[in-house]
Amino acid sequence: MSDIKERAPNQLMIFGIVGGLLGIYLTYILPLAGEQLGEKVAIFLKTIAPVAGALGAMCAVVWGADAVRRVAKYGLGTGVPSIGQIAMGMGIVAAMFGLAIVKTLVLAGPIVALITASIIGFIIGWFAQNVIKMKIPVMIRCMTEIAAAGTIIIIGFSAAVAGNFEFANIIKLVFDNGVILAVFWVGAVAVLHPFNACLGPDEKQKRLLYLAGSTGAITMAIVGIAATMTLGASGVITLIIGIILWLIFYKKFWDEVYNDAASVVGTGLIPKTEA
Amino acid sequence: MVAIDPTIITNILLIAISGTLICIAVHFIPVGGAPAAMAQATGIGTGTVELAAGSGLVGLITASYMYANEPTASMVLVLAAGAMGSMVMLASTMFAGSLIYAFGVGVPFASAQIKKDPITGTRQDIYMSKGTQGQGLPTVCFVSGIIGAALGGAGGGLIYYVLVKLYSQSVLIGPSAAAVAGVFTMGVFYVNAVIPSYGVGGTIEGFHDPKFRRVLPKDAFTSFVVSMICGVVAVMIGGGLI
């Protein structure tokens, strides 16, 4: 383990928070900037803005997957999926709170959501560690990180479908038509799947992060399909970029698997036995 | 000091109680996890969260159906509808699972935690395969699962009932109250389904399991506190406090 260079948790945390928030805020700022720059630029920026939200959420997926990896390594006893689901559960509660509570101060929404998620995650982590007594040293920190990543994922993908992160807008375009369920579930799978698929004695962070990139990208593609319904052209761009990123990351993951495997052999077809 | 409306406190407490109900419900449901999937432990062969959430979300659907068709329905009726939907869902899951365990895998149903089934009085240990922790779903597990599903469905229904009333008065949410309340309920549900599953460590047979008494108080306490925070958050989304 020690001879393999790994990305530090803090590095990934900064990547997730900064990348995630940047993407989310770009969905709001790009159209505003466009209005200052003239009509043609405005239309262009307004079309590509929602894509940034999905890209930001992808950064959070990578961060969240690594946090899941660090905590689930200890063996939760309930399977890795449970932690992905609690991440989204905490994330969605915090996201709705953050976006709704700020009212006219729209820009503060995602940050309030992030802070709320961290607090809820910290409390659940503290209780898991000290009341339920799970005896996992990284529990509190990882639960906080997972909740925060969950809320960025929810807001990011919701912004990609709704165009921006104003709560009224998200209610109309994400909640009323049920897209939030897809965001919730596919987002949860994106976070939990990488470690669930890679766990084991030969698990390597690099391979897991590439897989996290690919699950994030496929989520982006699915969100793109939903966004095509709500936003039209922006959705198509999200869908296409999602598929391209998925192909890139999946190829990288594939290469890593080939690299790490002792040998790769074809088993051929199952031989037909004679009766 | 700002005077806080007593209905707000009632709402927060109701959400905390329903979260605790969901948490208690999980302890009743016989989950065996991966060992049960290989018929090496008693219970249904999947995770705690999947079962609790699966049955609870069906309860949520039936509760919201009741509310949508009869907005004047009393709280008891909405809770009963939730409990019923949840019970039907879990009973059919357990029944289908039992068919597979009995006729597909071919194992006799036995519990490792007790000597005699408290309901039927049948001896369990003689039916246990060596090296396993019981298999299938004995009667007591089935009954326990039904009780758990009823509690979970009622808990989910209760959060929904409180929130949909609260949000339909909100200026911001108004007409979308059902969607927002449903999604929030789902979020609280998942949190409360995962917390006890960490407590029980993945497998539990039902109320007869010694683990039940050992872990229930601390899990319920945790869920109560966490759900109360969720309740405060939920009330504030509706614009109740500010």
Side-chain angles (χ1 to χ4, degrees):
Chain A
M1 268 314 239
S2 53
D3 55 331
I4 303 161
K5 220 177 153 213
E6 289 197 346
R7 297 259 169 219
N10 287 343
Q11 203 181 352
L12 283 163
M13 185 169 83
I14 291 166
F15 174 72
I17 293 178
V18 174
L21 286 182
L22 188 71
I24 289 167
Y25 277 115
L26 278 182
T27 61
Y28 193 80
I29 293 166
L30 279 184
L32 284 185
E35 279 169 24
Q36 311 285 322
L37 295 170
E39 204 175 321
K40 275 192 181 164
V41 188
I43 295 171
F44 173 71
L45 286 180
K46 200 166 190 291
T47 317
I48 61 157
V51 183
L55 288 173
M58 254 185 77
C59 299
V61 167
V62 173
W63 171 33
D66 186 67
V68 167
R69 165 179 178 268
R70 270 179 279 136
V71 68
K73 242 183 196 169
Y74 287 88
L76 299 164
T78 58
V80 185
S82 69
I83 205 143
Q85 286 153 347
I86 197 172
M88 288 298 143
M90 297 185 288
I92 205 158
V93 166
M96 286 166 71
F97 174 75
L99 297 183
I101 202 77
V102 292
K103 290 185 180 165
T104 47
L105 266 170
V106 182
L107 277 177
I111 290 184
V112 175
L114 188 69
I115 294 168
T116 316
S118 308
I119 293 171
I120 296 178
F122 178 83
I123 292 170
I124 292 181
W126 190 87
F127 271 97
Q129 185 67 7
N130 295 312
V131 179
I132 302 179
K133 296 215 162 49
M134 288 186 71
K135 297 193 183 87
I136 296 177
V138 293
M139 190 74 193
I140 299 177
R141 180 184 169 149
C142 285
M143 211 43 131
T144 314
E145 285 187 34
I146 289 165
T151 204
I152 293 183
I153 293 168
I154 297 265
I155 298 177
F157 284 132
S158 299
V161 177
N164 60 33
F165 51 83
E166 279 174 87
F167 195 53
N169 204 12
I170 285 185
I171 287 184
K172 205 170 79 201
L173 295 173
V174 185
F175 280 75
D176 275 357
N177 51 18
V179 171
I180 190 73
L181 292 177
V183 171
F184 185 96
W185 265 109
V186 188
V189 174
V191 171
L192 68 89
H193 176 71
F195 188 70
N196 210 18
C198 294
L199 64 84
D202 63 338
E203 187 267 340
K204 281 208 189 106
Q205 194 198 31
K206 199 174 170 192
R207 194 166 78 219
L208 178 131
L209 291 183
Y210 281 136
L211 185 57
S214 99
T215 54
I218 199 85
T219 312
M220 184 174 169
I222 291 168
V223 164
I225 297 172
T228 312
M229 187 175 78
T230 56
L231 299 175
S234 309
V236 178
I237 299 174
T238 311
L239 174 63
I240 292 169
I241 294 182
I243 291 173
I244 293 170
L245 283 174
W246 177 65
L247 287 173
I248 293 171
F249 278 111
Y250 197 78
K251 179 70 178 60
K252 293 223 172 205
F253 168 65
W254 180 277
D255 292 342
E256 281 302 310
V257 171
Y258 268 65
N259 254 340
D260 295 343
S263 67
V264 181
V265 289
T267 53
L269 294 171
I270 300 166
K272 276 182 189 146
T273 48
E274 284 171 23
Chain B
M1 195 188 141
V2 187
I4 297 173
D5 193 351
T7 51
I8 290 176
I9 298 182
T10 321
N11 284 341
I12 292 174
L13 275 179
L14 280 178
I15 293 172
I17 290 168
S18 39
T20 317
L21 271 180
I22 295 164
C23 167
I24 295 170
V26 174
H27 293 82
F28 277 93
I29 298 173
V31 264
M38 297 178 283
Q40 290 180 353
T42 317
I44 313 169
T46 182
T48 337
V49 192
E50 282 74 15
L51 276 175
S55 69
L57 293 181
V58 177
L60 179 60
I61 292 170
T62 47
S64 56
Y65 184 76
M66 166 65 95
Y67 192 84
N69 281 292
E70 190 54 57
T72 52
S74 71
M75 194 164 88
V76 180
L77 270 179
V78 176
L79 295 198
M84 194 52 80
S86 200
M87 282 154 84
V88 169
M89 168 71 192
L90 202 71
S92 41
T93 310
M94 289 193 291
F95 180 66
S98 296
L99 285 181
I100 292 167
Y101 282 128
F103 300 108
V105 188
V107 288
F109 296 175
S111 159
Q113 304 295 344
I114 35 165
K115 239 186 147 180
K116 274 185 178 171
D117 190 320
I119 293 171
T120 57
T122 325
R123 259 188 83 178
Q124 301 290 308
D125 50 344
I126 44 174
Y127 295 102
M128 282 244 312
S129 307
K130 280 217 173 77
T132 69
Q133 299 191 319
Q135 8 8 70
L137 286 150
T139 313
V140 62
C141 291
F142 199 100
V143 173
S144 179
I146 299 283
I147 298 171
L151 290 174
L158 182 56
I159 310 182
Y160 181 80
Y161 180 81
V162 172
L163 290 184
V164 83
K165 279 215 156 157
L166 191 70
Y167 290 165
S168 52
Q169 296 157 5
S170 157
V171 190
L172 185 65
I173 302 163
S176 309
V180 177
V183 171
F184 197 92
T185 308
M186 199 173 72
V188 177
F189 207 101
Y190 272 109
V191 170
N192 281 306
V194 174
I195 287 169
S197 73
Y198 286 159
V200 300
T203 58
I204 189 160
E205 280 190 13
F207 59 76
H208 57 285
D209 196 321
K211 218 188 243 177
F212 182 80
R213 254 176 249 154
R214 204 172 64 230
V215 297
L216 186 63
K218 52 185 186 182
D219 290 359
F221 175 66
T222 306
S223 265
F224 186 80
V225 175
V226 171
S227 308
M228 190 128 85
I229 297 164
C230 290
V232 174
V233 166
V235 169
M236 284 166 91
I237 291 177
L241 288 179
I242 298 176

